[in-house]
Structure formats: C-alpha cells, structure tokens
Amino acid sequence: MDMGLSIVMNNRMRRDSKIYVAGHRGLVGSALLRRLKNAGYSNIVTRSHAELDLVDQGAVKRFFETERPEFVLLAAARVGGIYANDTYPADFVRDNLSIQTNVIHESWRNGVSKLLFLGSSCIYPRDCPQPIKEQYLLTGLLEPTNEAYAIAKIAGIKMCAAYNRQHGTNFISVMPTNLYGPGDNYNLDTSHVVPALIRKAHEAKMRGDKSFQVWGTGKPLREFLYSDDLADACIFLLEEKNAEDIGEIINIGTGQEVSVKQLAALVSEVVGFDGDQSFDSAKPDGTPRKLLDSSRLTALGWQARTSLTEGLSMAYRDYLSSTWA
Ligand code: GFB
C-alpha cells in the first residue's frame, strides 16, 4: 500500500478505534463521551482523577505505554469561572501546563493518530476587534483575571502546532466560547456564570427571596454554547478534518451574544423566579465582550443547534436532578 494513503487511513476513526477521553467527568469530557457512545464508538478508554493524575509525568507515560490509544481527546484541565481564575492563578497555570505537556508529549511518543486539544476563547487579547477571528491570537494583552489560564492554553496550542511541524503529528486545537450544560460545576466560588445564576435563581425561588445577586455590572457580553453542541463540533472535526484543514486553531461558537443582565433575566424565566436581580459592582466584570467569529467552522459545514433558552432549560433540569439542588 502507498504510504501516503496508509497515513490518511490511519487518521480516520473507526467505530472500534481506541479513543482516550481525558477529563471524562468534566463538563466537556462527559459531553464528548455521550457523543462518542451515541455514535457507536465502542472502544473508549477513561481514567478518573484518582486512577490517573495527569499532572504526574511518570503516571501519564506508563498509562500511554500500556493503553496505546489511537485517538486522544484532551478535555482534562483545571477550569473555573472568573473568581477561581483570579484567585488561584498559580494552580491554573501549573496544572494546565503539566496536564497538557504530559498528554501531548506521550501522544506523540506513542504514535497517536490524532489528538484534539481544548482551548478557550480567553486566549485572545482582551481588547481585540469583535467578532474575534482566529488570526487575532497573540496580537495584544490578555484579560488580567484569566491571564494564567490563557497563557497555559496558548502554550498548549503552540505545543500542538510545534509537534505537527517538527514531528508530523496530527494534533488539532479548538477554541470554544463560554460553555454550559449537564454536569456543570455549581459551586458558587469556582463556577462559571450560567451554573451560578441557575443555582442562585433556584435558591431565591425556594426561599421566596425578592432578588438574587449577580456579580459585576451586568454589562459584559458573553456568547454561550451548550456542551453537547461543542462535543458534536469536536467529533465532526475529528471524523472529517485534519490539522492541515484546520490550521493552528479554530473557533467554536454560536454567533449569538447576551449581556450578563439579559442572561440573569433569562435564567430567572427558565427557573420560574419572578423577583429581581441586584448587581454587585465590587466583583469583577472581566472581559467586556468576547464574541467568536466562527465563520471558518461554518464554512467547513458545522453549526450549533441548541438555542440559549432550550439549553438553559435542559441545564436547569440537570441541576434539579443533581446532588446540588
Ligand atoms: O462565567 P464567568 O465566570 O467567566 O463570568 P468569564 C462571566 C461574567 O458573568 C463575568 C459575571 O462578567 C462575571 O462577573 N457573573 C455574574 C458571574 N454573576 C456571576 C456569578 O455568580 N458567578 C460567576 N462566575 N460570574 C472565564 C475565564 O471568564 O471564562 C476562564 O476566567 C474561561 O479563563 C471561562 O475562559 C470560559 O467569561 O468572565
């Protein structure tokens, strides 16, 4: 068989390909797992944090040498909302650099056919033009509240690109916008805004409060993507595209943005809380706006399906059935 053809064929996922989902208990990893199982992939490898600490270089090396996955979905990361990012920058930069360095390096050493690395829209400069195109990466200063996390993610993107260039690997990096969905983190100190507002609105409703508190001025604009839509985009790219089709990074968003104030009103409606919101301007706003330009992904043939109202209703149902409620 012609070598070029065999490389192309090796890069295609079969239903029995061995696929390692790193971070399968998180918001993104669990959505990826659901999507893979629904599509009939039958040879999926996972490890809980207790079984495999991805920060531990030796443990990751042993895991890859034993399991030899063919495809790797790198959704493991230390993540959190604005407060966690701002309060624990050392943890965010150290853990993420370690996890991604270990997994990317061992993926190359063990001949992984394709790896998907999850970035974030906070990698872009704080004040870049909107909507944000992929080429704006590294054209300006970052948002200070999440600089440590963003620096780690930028290093991961550049590491995938460097391994592709030097070693001929097929590592792709995707940049999702702000995410929410089933299995989210509802801890108010570490969560993102959607799960926080769902919990606050629900608890205010249950207590019969007049209002609940929203951090910041309510003015920042955000774009929210349902985690199952993100997983669908990731599997589409893994199945259909290679690093050479995608370039260094590709944005994944909906193209729709709302203010935090509008979001709080929408969450209240979904939860059935008919009181008000108060705004705590002592808390940070973070980036004023981060709307991704996802036209490159749209041109490749993918679009988000879940509206914000539908997604919030599904997320609220998930919250009600969780141990957090
Ligand atoms: O979701 P969030 O924490 O992430 O906050 P970022 C978004 C906006 O919602 C900010 C406001 O303007 C917050 O001030 N907000 C209002 C709240 N009420 C709340 C609340 O109760 N909890 C939270 N968490 N926010 C993170 C980055 O930034 O986004 C990460 O720090 C990552 O690095 C992630 O990129 C996607 O969009 O501000």
Side-chain angles (χ1 to χ4, degrees):
M1 188 188 292
D2 166 76
M3 273 308 284
L5 185 60
S6 88
I7 289 168
V8 171
M9 287 183 67
N10 283 342
N11 280 338
R12 283 205 81 84
M13 290 208 293
R14 304 172 319 275
R15 291 300 185 255
D16 64 347
S17 293
K18 195 173 214 183
I19 305 169
Y20 170 44
V21 180
H24 72 289
R25 288 187 173 165
L27 176 68
V28 175
S30 60
L32 288 168
L33 202 58
R34 277 195 296 280
R35 177 64 179 75
L36 287 169
K37 285 184 176 168
N38 283 343
Y41 289 97
S42 56
N43 194 5
I44 304 169
V45 180
T46 58
R47 289 289 185 280
S48 67
H49 195 160
E51 291 165 337
L52 174 63
D53 181 1
L54 293 171
V55 166
D56 179 341
Q57 189 181 359
V60 176
K61 183 167 181 283
R62 286 190 294 281
F63 167 77
F64 270 83
E65 287 171 357
T66 310
E67 286 292 346
R68 303 294 300 239
E70 299 168 68
F71 293 86
V72 172
L73 279 63
L74 178 40
R78 177 179 286 274
V79 300
I82 191 166
Y83 179 77
N85 267 270
D86 203 24
T87 312
Y88 309 108
D91 296 348
F92 276 80
V93 70
R94 187 263 180 177
D95 288 356
N96 287 310
L97 282 175
S98 302
I99 293 167
Q100 68 204 31
T101 301
N102 292 340
V103 174
I104 293 169
H105 184 67
E106 290 307 324
S107 292
W108 163 63
R109 265 195 1 103
N110 291 279
V112 164
S113 299
K114 207 188 275 190
L115 172 144
L116 180 123
F117 174 67
L118 266 299
S120 163
S121 59
C122 68
I123 55 149
Y124 292 110
R126 180 183 201 270
D127 296 314
C128 67
Q130 308 280 325
I132 307 171
K133 293 182 189 297
E134 287 88 350
Q135 72 241 35
Y136 300 159
L137 178 64
L138 291 174
T139 55
L141 295 176
L142 297 164
E143 155 62 30
T145 55
N146 58 218
E147 188 184 43
Y149 177 75
I151 287 286
K153 288 291 179 186
I154 293 169
I157 293 164
K158 291 295 176 185
M159 192 166 169
C160 288
Y163 276 57
N164 289 346
R165 190 153 70 87
Q166 187 180 333
H167 298 308
T169 47
N170 191 8
F171 295 169
I172 61 182
S173 296
V174 300
M175 299 309 119
T177 189
N178 283 44
L179 301 168
Y180 70 102
D184 217 331
N185 169 22
Y186 292 93
N187 175 328
L188 295 179
D189 291 332
T190 54
S191 72
H192 290 100
V193 63
V194 171
L197 296 187
I198 287 177
R199 180 172 173 180
K200 287 178 182 180
H202 174 78
E203 289 180 352
K205 179 177 88 168
M206 300 316 281
R207 284 195 298 256
D209 291 349
K210 288 206 172 61
S211 67
F212 65 87
Q213 206 181 59
V214 178
W215 293 353
T217 59
K219 289 184 187 150
L221 294 164
R222 292 290 184 272
E223 178 189 21
F224 295 102
L225 178 67
Y226 192 61
S227 59
D228 285 337
D229 280 359
L230 170 71
D232 191 61
C234 290
I235 304 307
F236 163 74
L237 291 171
L238 268 176
E239 287 178 339
E240 306 290 337
K241 305 291 168 195
N242 292 307
E244 66 203 29
D245 310 312
I246 290 172
E248 202 166 73
I249 50 176
I250 187 156
N251 291 339
I252 308 182
T254 63
Q256 310 290 319
E257 61 184 343
V258 289
S259 69
V260 170
K261 188 173 182 191
Q262 288 169 319
L263 176 72
L266 200 53
V267 168
S268 298
E269 212 177 293
V270 165
V271 166
F273 171 68
D274 51 17
D276 289 330
Q277 298 92 37
S278 62
F279 292 87
D280 176 4
S281 51
K283 290 282 195 312
D285 270 345
T287 302
R289 193 179 176 199
K290 46 177 170 180
L291 176 65
L292 292 179
D293 180 336
S294 302
S295 54
R296 284 188 49 228
L297 181 61
T298 315
L300 291 179
W302 187 88
Q303 245 177 320
R305 269 180 282 211
T306 312
S307 73
L308 185 55
T309 314
E310 272 176 295
L312 289 175
S313 302
M314 292 191 283
Y316 182 47
R317 276 203 295 278
D318 174 71
Y319 168 77
L320 288 175
S321 67
S322 77
T323 52
W324 294 96

